[in-house]
Amino acid sequence: MRRGERRGAGGPRPGSPVPAGKAALEEPPDGAPAGRAAGPGAGRRSTESEVYDDGTNTFFWRAHTLTVLFILTCVLGYVTLLEETPRDTAYNTKRGIVASILVFLCFGVTQAKDGPFSRPHPAYWRFWLCVSVVYELFLIFILFQTVQDGRQFLKYVDPRLGAPLPERDYGGNCLIYDADNKTDPFHNIWDKLDGFVPAHFLGWYLKTLMIREWWMCTIISVMFEFLEYSLEHQLPNFSECWWDHWIMDVLICNGLGIYCGMKTLEWLSLKTYKWQGLWNIPTYKGKMKRIAFQFTPYSWVRFEWKPASSLRRWLAVCGIILVFLLAELNTFYLKFVLWLPPEHYLVLLRLVFFVNVGGVAMREIYDFMDDPRLHKKLGQQAWLVAAITATELLIVVKYDPHTLTLSLPFYISQCWTLGSVLVLTWTVWRFFLRDITLRYKETRRQKQQNRGDQGTAVGHMHGPPPGPEDPEVTWRLDRGSRCCLLQSMRSGPHWALLAPIGPLDHV
């Protein structure tokens, strides 16, 4: 839904609440009612914030499809008519591929369907949606090449690629205090304080903003460290010191990032979302503040995953955790099988890509889980992220099956087997055996209650006949016989007990 459509005739008047189905940079999905009130119980979920917008629709928010088409046509006409085509086949191939991608991005930015986010601008998120399509197509192309051709193809991106990576010692000396080194006994700690430390912190800060749940972030953080322990016999860079795993990574970098992320989420959930057009603000300070807030969420939704509430949500949350861990592992395995140095800009671009698409995907997954009546299918960005993660895994499997098939150490396999059995046992107990037990107890309780009610009814029947004004008994006369219809008004179920008393002397 374009912003201009959302602010059209019949939209909210200035100062009135706008539809609150938008959350966390969000707008209501296509097909959602556009006139829902923002008050409680008027179609807005309890976890969504209220939004007030004066409805200003400026040049910044209008569609510019014809303008983009005109500029694109002029650029292509200039290249075709005024530039001389070089004789270099490789250069022309690269140039043609880049031009094709740019034309597709122009089309997608102006014509693709909007996602749930709208800040800083819906076109920004449409751009990343189209980048997701391009990246998935690139992965499919790499998947259908031979191992040697796929690695050498990356030389067209960077001539320095396509060469095996040198061996590195990642574990090394794990002493926190090295007494043998008189000049700097803590040199092992200082050696670990490289550029990856702030990257760990920033990464987990952003992941917390995506997931919006402390316990889920903590589980993913701890499970990834267990995966590094388990797979260090396959990849050397998973071999780290124990204090690097649990102190520097889990407690300091990841823990501090999660803590700061939760504080940011708390601020966003309490923030007032009241928006005015830039030209409706009288002071320059207010205008600068409004420009800065353009890069903050339009509204906010608090995620409540509730994995134990139903089997569907439990399986969905387990699937989300699995995809997160696979995406993390793919970062290291792709570098290994495609011969990408850790500091190469392609590795950084992939991380930037997942930061931008991950938040949209998590929002679409949560909508699909939490409100299936409105969101009947999985969102487009979530679908692409799942497809990209699966394709990356298939590339790793194809390009180096030997590494992936290295058997786990016995104690590692035993630990994972025990953990899997415990999770499966809890799942069966929580969603099958526990429900059966509760239903049996409830049925037994109802039967006992029914027996007690029947005994009470029989006692009333053998007692003195109640008067016609008794509120708990209704008298009925039928064909010369006097019958008693006993009806319980204090309990839920109702039944009738016909007890012929004798013929009537008078009708």
Side-chain angles (χ1 to χ4, degrees):
M1 180 183 293
R2 301 291 190 273
R3 188 179 178 92
E5 298 170 358
R6 180 164 55 86
R7 305 286 180 241
R13 293 174 296 180
S16 64
V18 300
K22 305 175 278 295
L25 326 164
E26 300 103 45
E27 291 185 352
D30 291 344
R36 292 190 299 173
R44 179 172 59 89
R45 288 175 289 184
S46 60
T47 55
E48 295 186 20
S49 62
E50 293 190 51
V51 181
Y52 296 89
D53 197 322
D54 63 3
T56 302
N57 187 19
T58 62
F59 177 84
F60 180 70
W61 290 104
R62 297 185 191 124
H64 303 286
T65 53
L66 293 178
T67 304
V68 173
L69 178 61
F70 176 76
I71 295 175
L72 181 62
T73 305
C74 291
V75 172
L76 294 177
Y78 173 82
V79 173
T80 303
L81 301 177
L82 300 180
E83 277 193 359
E84 183 178 357
T85 304
R87 301 294 181 181
D88 189 346
T89 303
Y91 174 77
N92 290 336
T93 302
K94 293 181 184 179
R95 197 181 186 195
I97 293 175
V98 172
S100 302
I101 294 174
L102 291 178
V103 171
F104 173 74
L105 293 178
C106 289
F107 168 79
V109 166
T110 56
Q111 299 293 342
K113 188 176 80 169
D114 285 341
F117 289 8
S118 63
R119 292 298 173 86
H121 195 281
Y124 177 82
W125 304 107
R126 294 197 293 267
F127 168 79
W128 285 107
L129 175 67
C130 297
V131 171
S132 303
V133 176
V134 174
Y135 182 51
E136 172 65 7
L137 295 178
F138 171 76
L139 292 176
I140 294 295
F141 178 81
I142 294 293
L143 181 63
F144 278 81
Q145 308 305 307
T146 63
V147 176
Q148 184 64 21
D149 291 343
R151 289 168 175 166
Q152 297 305 314
F153 175 78
L154 294 179
K155 284 188 174 182
Y156 290 100
V157 180
D158 187 346
R160 296 172 297 176
L161 298 177
L165 298 178
E167 294 289 338
R168 293 185 182 182
D169 183 16
Y170 290 91
N173 189 356
C174 289
L175 292 175
I176 298 179
Y177 183 86
D178 190 0
D180 296 335
N181 193 322
K182 303 299 181 182
T183 58
D184 188 6
F186 295 100
H187 66 95
N188 288 327
I189 297 179
W190 311 133
D191 291 342
K192 302 295 182 181
L193 298 178
D194 51 14
F196 291 100
V197 172
H200 269 274
F201 166 79
L202 181 61
W204 273 103
Y205 173 77
L206 296 174
K207 289 173 190 174
T208 306
L209 297 183
M210 296 179 197
I211 301 173
R212 309 184 195 180
E213 191 83 59
W214 174 86
W215 67 266
M216 199 167 170
C217 293
T218 304
I219 288 176
I220 295 175
S221 173
V222 173
M223 283 193 66
F224 185 74
E225 298 303 323
F226 279 115
L227 285 174
E228 285 190 326
Y229 267 122
S230 305
L231 301 175
E232 63 183 12
H233 67 288
Q234 295 183 1
L235 294 187
N237 54 346
F238 282 160
S239 179
E240 297 176 349
C241 299
W242 66 267
W243 48 267
D244 196 2
H245 278 295
W246 302 111
I247 298 179
M248 292 190 64
D249 285 352
V250 174
L251 293 181
I252 298 179
C253 298
N254 302 357
L256 189 60
I258 294 173
Y259 174 79
C260 294
M262 293 304 298
K263 287 298 181 182
T264 305
L265 292 175
E266 182 180 350
W267 175 76
L268 290 171
S269 63
L270 298 176
K271 180 179 177 292
T272 301
Y273 293 92
K274 187 173 182 179
W275 303 102
Q276 288 180 279
L278 187 64
W279 307 114
N280 297 335
I281 302 175
T283 63
Y284 286 105
K285 181 179 179 181
K287 293 180 186 293
M288 296 302 296
K289 187 177 179 181
R290 175 64 181 83
I291 292 174
F293 279 159
Q294 183 65 28
F295 297 91
T296 63
Y298 181 82
S299 64
W300 193 250
V301 158
R302 184 178 69 256
F303 284 3
E304 294 180 352
W305 293 104
K306 299 178 181 178
S309 61
S310 66
L311 180 61
R312 179 176 181 267
R313 294 183 77 94
W314 168 250
L315 295 178
V317 169
C318 291
I320 292 171
I321 294 176
L322 176 62
V323 172
F324 253 93
L325 294 175
L326 279 178
E328 294 276 2
L329 290 176
N330 287 342
T331 304
F332 297 91
Y333 278 94
L334 283 176
K335 290 187 298 183
F336 183 77
V337 301
L338 295 178
W339 296 346
L340 293 172
E343 62 278 0
H344 197 271
Y345 70 88
L346 288 180
V347 179
L348 179 62
L349 286 179
R350 180 185 175 276
L351 296 178
V352 172
F353 163 77
F354 270 101
V355 165
N356 283 276
V357 304
V360 185
M362 290 299 295
R363 167 65 187 177
E364 291 176 344
I365 293 172
Y366 183 79
D367 280 340
F368 182 67
M369 289 173 51
D370 195 59
D371 195 2
R373 291 175 299 177
L374 183 61
H375 304 274
K376 299 183 183 299
K377 61 180 181 180
L378 188 64
Q380 51 192 2
Q381 189 67 79
W383 190 94
L384 280 170
V385 168
I388 287 170
T389 305
T391 308
E392 288 180 341
L393 178 62
L394 292 176
I395 290 174
V396 173
V397 172
K398 177 179 179 178
Y399 276 53
D400 197 351
H402 173 71
T403 299
L404 288 182
T405 54
L406 290 176
S407 59
L408 294 173
F410 178 75
Y411 67 96
I412 294 292
S413 60
Q414 292 294 100
C415 290
W416 281 106
T417 302
L418 177 61
S420 302
V421 169
L422 290 177
V423 172
L424 183 60
T425 303
W426 184 88
T427 302
V428 173
W429 173 83
R430 176 63 180 80
F431 299 106
F432 296 97
L433 299 180
R434 179 175 176 270
D435 290 346
I436 294 173
T437 304
L438 291 177
R439 282 197 297 267
Y440 172 75
K441 291 181 178 179
E442 179 65 19
T443 304
R444 187 176 179 181
R445 186 187 65 80
Q446 290 180 358
K447 287 182 178 180
Q448 292 176 350
Q449 182 180 0
N450 291 342
R451 291 195 193 101
D453 292 341
Q454 289 177 0
T456 304
V458 171
H460 281 302
M461 182 184 67
H462 291 291
E469 296 181 357
D470 192 339
E472 297 197 11
V473 178
T474 303
W475 289 88
R476 187 173 65 189
L477 301 178
D478 184 18
R479 293 188 179 181
S481 296
R482 185 173 59 190
C483 297
C484 177
L485 178 65
L486 299 177
Q487 180 180 9
S488 174
M489 296 184 179
R490 286 191 295 266
S491 60
H494 298 79
W495 68 93
L497 182 60
L498 298 178
I501 306 301
L504 286 176
D505 295 331
H506 303 282
V507 178

